[in-house]
Amino acid sequence: MDFSFDAISAEEYERLRSSYEPLTDALRTLIDVGIHTEVDDETVQEALTHLQQAAALLQRRQRDGRSTLRHADTGRPVAWANPAVGLRNAIAPPMIIEQEPDGSCWSEFTLGPAYEGPPGWVHGGICALVLDHILGEVASEGLLQPKFTGTISLRYLRGTPLGPLRAEAFVERSEGVKTFARGYLLDSEGATVEAEGVFIKPAWARDAG
Amino acid sequence: MDFSFDAISAEEYERLRSSYEPLTDALRTLIDVGIHTEVDDETVQEALTHLQQAAALLQRRQRDGRSTLRHADTGRPVAWANPAVGLRNAIAPPMIIEQEPDGSCWSEFTLGPAYEGPPGWVHGGICALVLDHILGEVASEGLLQPKFTGTISLRYLRGTPLGPLRAEAFVERSEGVKTFARGYLLDSEGATVEAEGVFIKPAWARDAG
């Protein structure tokens, strides 16, 4: 486990974000388009050549992913790579998580066809991914404290439709090294999935308070 | 909810798979490369042009995603689009799920850097995604029966390292419309996450037996 980090200024963060975010957005489009394309094999080959050329260009200089970047201003980790919130990870919707003054968190995001399980509905495991993430974030005070999921339980109240959604989470209570968090995934008509989780401060971080 | 389907022959399935799978693999590579690239803005623009050209080619003919394809031979849904098992969804690892004669399921797959949460470890929500999927699959007899997740509980025993992993699931018991399933995510040293779930046959499918 490596919790070392390099600091990054707000200015540098914005420069990198404006350079790389369009790339991730283009990949998100390609994920959707790739699932449903019916073009002939010749056109597939042509598209494939473009993808390989893009990969070769981007591979020219690669950052080793081992250390975590943190904002110099806020001290929070920079969410580039994370599969739920990573601005540079095309797997992530991405969730942009907002912190309220009372410590609760919320996020509004859209889940499109790439996240579909049963026809028209979000895959239950994707609901679990977004809820695990936002509960973990609220339990760790916006990732300022290292906390790991101990247990999480999800109750599926009804199907979650593809489209615009909201997730919310708050801390119910803390007992020693355990933090109890609760949250919801919601569509425009209310909650579709309820989650509760227990998050644990790892032994190596317990002296740090 | 649309459970209508078009049948697809084994031959046609293989033809489509061999045509489109390299495309999805190229996108999986690009997702990883895109997270960690440090090339300059000019090179990003060049790569972006290739990605946009590939998307334009693949958009020329798109299948509408509403109906589910099923194998003419097995009757099972074809897993093209699913975010856990979809061969054509670059978000999916993909898990290839094997059915044992006793009804249990297992899958061996690799989770690389795109699935990382804490440095070096699989994101807890990704563990939840793969376990939700394999439990749902075992509860629905390989998706032959429509079943929806009612509840799922995950216990994180220790961190799950990035790399080769295995998931297993089996049905513990059934009571009326409820099926109780249990499963594990494992690395080479044993279980890292344990899951139990209750899956429910929807009302509209209850007469079909």
Side-chain angles (χ1 to χ4, degrees), chain B residues 157-180:
Chain B
L157 309 170
R158 57 188 171 90
T160 301
L162 293 178
L165 296 166
R166 178 181 170 95
E168 301 175 350
F170 57 94
V171 169
E172 287 197 313
R173 65 185 196 282
S174 295
E175 287 173 15
V177 297
K178 292 185 180 175
T179 302
F180 297 79

Side-chain angles (χ1 to χ4, degrees), chain A residues 88-101:
Chain A
R88 293 186 53 185
N89 187 338
I91 287 178
M95 302 170 80
I96 310 282
I97 296 187
E98 308 290 340
Q99 316 277 335
E100 293 294 324

